[in-house]
Amino acid sequence: MYQIKIPFINLTKQYLQIKKEIDKAIKKVLQNQQFILGEELRRFEHGLAAYLGCKYSVGVGSGTEALILSLRVLGIGKDDEVITPVYSFIATTIAITEVGAKPIFIDIDPDTYQIDINKIEEKITNKTKAILPVHIYGAPCNIDQIKKIADYYNLYLIEDSAQAIGAKFKNRKLGTFGILNCFSFYPTKNLGAYGDGGAICTNNYTLYQELRRIRNYGQVKKYHHNILGVNSRLDEIQASVLRIKLKYLDDWNKKRRAIAKLYLRELNNLNIKTQTIIKGGISNYHLFVMEHPKRSQLQKYLTAKGIQTLIHYPIPIHLQKCYRYLGYKKGDFPVAEKLAKKLISLPMYPELTKSQIE
Ligand SMILES: *Cc1c(COP(=O)(O)O)cnc(C)c1O
């Protein structure tokens, strides 16, 4: 076993910076003994909407559930098709199959690692209901081009912004382009809770109201259930933590960008290829990802030096065993398959020091 000198992520460092505020906020929830759908959530939802520049946000149980409820509230289900990138965290596709719809995969661009927008239109059929793009690693996909396609073919646009909170395209925050936009507050995300959490953001009042009911058993008023709902709520303790962390998010993202800049400077000197950020885009550097032809050797070498790295992601979604029934095979998405063998993620969190980065 090698000793880890530079971990991939270090949440303790962040906690210690804001410990006083966090402990106080959690204590307040404990004193109030209101744990579900209370004042903390109400205030966090307002804060998040204001931060993003959208009208409404709905706190839910996780990022995956944000995606599931979004598809569901739009009536997407059996016999419907949803267009989505083949290379992402699997939750994006899980949401589609969970509502009974069929994921239609699109290969990714070899430079941006984002959904290849030139391959979307040929996959649109009369069953297509929505496009569900991902802002991979916290960098914007070509969201305004995708929105144009969605509008032209009358499809819903749902953003998977789970990795991209605070990132921008043309000065507009990601997660404000779609009719519904999904965020994750999984602890290691840029805005991480101390447990599971997620949110859906929208400017559509009707969908906002409906989502608030669906997440709470479809309840219109107590014990009156006109629509079918589920139980998926962001709890008060998580909301209280997130409310504090939201104040620091821009600062943390700025630090991540400064770290990325240092990485890029050093890696460019070595001619190592990294993720291309599209023109007009600002990444939040949720992950810092680079390509290497001898990835596993490099990873072993770094491990021996005490530097922890991860692979996002080793298997493209169409080759996951759970999706064998979809009928895709090796070779269907050559770009994703090639990159799955070459990409490696370096340590990335705001508290990394200059010497660690170097
Ligand atoms: C984290 C993540 C999700 C799922 O969020 P959870 O809160 O873990 O359910 C969905 N999509 C992407 C791209 C993610 O990175």
Side-chain angles (χ1 to χ4, degrees), residues 62-64 67 88-89 91-92 134 160 162-163 184-186 189 197 313:
S62 69
T64 307
L67 291 162
S88 171
F89 182 53
T92 320
V134 179
D160 182 343
Q163 302 184 349
S184 163
F185 307 124
Y186 183 77
K189 296 279 157 77
Y313 300 91

Side-chain angles (χ1 to χ4, degrees), residues 171-190:
N171 229 11
R172 180 167 157 189
K173 294 253 170 62
L174 302 185
T176 60
F177 292 82
I179 185 161
L180 295 171
N181 308 284
C182 302
F183 291 94
S184 163
F185 307 124
Y186 183 77
T188 60
K189 296 279 157 77
N190 289 32

